[in-house]
Amino acid sequence: MTSDRSSEGSRSRHWLGRLGQLLGGEPQDREQLIELLKDARERQLLDTDALSMIEGVLQVSDLRVRDIMIPRAEMVALRRDDPLEKILQIAVKSAHSRFPVTGDDKGEVVGILLAKDLLSFCVETGRRAFNIRDLLRSAVFVPESKRLNVLLKEFRASRNHMAIVVDEYGNASGLVTIEDVLEQIVGEIEDEHDYDEGSGIFRRGENDFSAKARTPIEDFNEYFGSDFSDEEFDTIGGLVVNAFGHLPKRGESVELGRFRFTVMRADSRRVHLLNIESLDPPDPSPSDHEGDGD
């Protein structure tokens, strides 16, 4: 009899506990948790940057390497048989710190070259014979399907900063860096080689440009002689995302007026960098805005 009463009391407490959770508003899934955090921001318990980073942490486990990797076509790579002069030229122009080195084709990555290992070859005095094979570091290979949270743990454990992404056939399909993963959490990370705050549009070719997504539409119109409205959106990124109708990924393109916009850099929450192709270029654009991009 005592046992029955004890069991009955336990069930009652369990039911009351569940009812208390529901009435108390405790989140039952991730969506409810996000709403709770947004409410905390509204009550100034969290600022916008903190909320954004928490959302990034929650989302990063859902993302896979293929979602953020730099595609093979956009990799700045060195060829194993390139002469020293060409390798130095590429290293200086790109300002990267690490380079995948390929064999006969770009799908065959044979190692990683660190830019600092080239410093001794930048001076004529005492320069030893150059053999890129003596400088190569082992490359880390990861599948396209690897989750970002797992990759971040591996980066931290191995102290590697770059991994080569391979497809199901073992060919390189792109690369991913620890910075790419961290940007999913904290947003875009700019360093001394990224664009200056004051410069938003850069000319890459006769009709080829790049621009920060946060470039004001007014500045864009002034540079290109265009007439996009800034009544609904303040930045060119907002205008382009609206044209897509969804948050685009790297490589997606859309045409607006006489321009084709291609996403060059984006994360799970915003677009950062756009490539702009002028489809019907007007008279020569202002030369005082020209600059070199990364």
Side-chain angles (χ1 to χ4, degrees), residues 58-69:
L58 293 174
Q59 293 171 2
V60 78
S61 61
D62 293 332
L63 295 174
R64 299 180 184 273
V65 168
R66 68 169 70 92
D67 297 321
I68 70 164
M69 71 179 188

Side-chain angles (χ1 to χ4, degrees), residues 35-216:
E35 289 303 316
L36 191 63
L37 291 169
K38 288 180 178 178
D39 181 63
R41 180 190 60 186
E42 293 296 325
R43 290 184 285 125
Q44 298 184 348
L45 298 177
L46 288 175
D47 61 26
T48 300
D49 289 338
L51 175 61
S52 180
M53 283 190 283
I54 293 172
E55 287 182 305
V57 170
L58 293 174
Q59 293 171 2
V60 78
S61 61
D62 293 332
L63 295 174
R64 299 180 184 273
V65 168
R66 68 169 70 92
D67 297 321
I68 70 164
M69 71 179 188
I70 298 171
R72 185 171 72 186
E74 299 177 20
M75 283 171 33
V76 178
L78 306 173
R79 289 180 60 90
R80 181 174 52 194
D81 298 324
D82 280 345
L84 175 61
E85 290 71 21
K86 184 175 182 179
I87 289 174
L88 289 175
Q89 182 181 19
I90 293 173
V92 171
K93 183 178 180 180
S94 67
H96 293 329
S97 58
R98 292 169 175 79
F99 300 89
V101 178
T102 63
D104 295 331
D105 63 71
K106 217 170 183 179
E108 179 196 6
V109 175
V110 297
I112 302 294
L113 180 67
L114 303 188
K116 67 179 183 180
D117 291 337
L118 295 172
L119 292 177
S120 61
F121 297 95
C122 294
V123 294
E124 295 292 337
T125 306
R127 177 191 290 184
R128 68 182 190 276
F130 176 75
N131 187 340
I132 195 171
R133 291 166 177 79
D134 296 334
L135 305 177
L136 288 184
R137 313 286 181 104
S138 297
V140 175
F141 298 93
V142 299
E144 295 179 356
S145 58
K146 182 179 283 291
R147 292 186 181 276
L148 293 192
N149 59 331
V150 177
L151 178 62
L152 182 57
K153 288 180 181 178
E154 293 180 358
F155 273 145
R156 293 176 62 191
S158 65
R159 298 185 179 181
N160 285 311
H161 288 204
M162 174 186 288
I164 304 302
V165 186
V166 294
D167 59 22
E168 58 184 312
Y169 304 105
N171 297 318
S173 57
L175 66 81
V176 63
T177 68
I178 191 171
E179 181 177 310
D180 295 326
V181 181
L182 292 176
E183 284 185 337
Q184 305 308 306
I185 299 174
V186 301
E188 184 178 17
I189 301 172
E190 294 189 354
D191 60 25
E192 65 273 21
H193 300 301
D194 287 328
Y195 304 146
D196 296 333
E197 284 296 321
S199 54
I201 303 173
F202 298 84
R203 188 167 192 166
R204 294 178 175 272
E206 184 177 354
N207 300 318
D208 192 30
F209 306 81
S210 63
K212 293 179 180 179
R214 64 172 178 264
T215 300

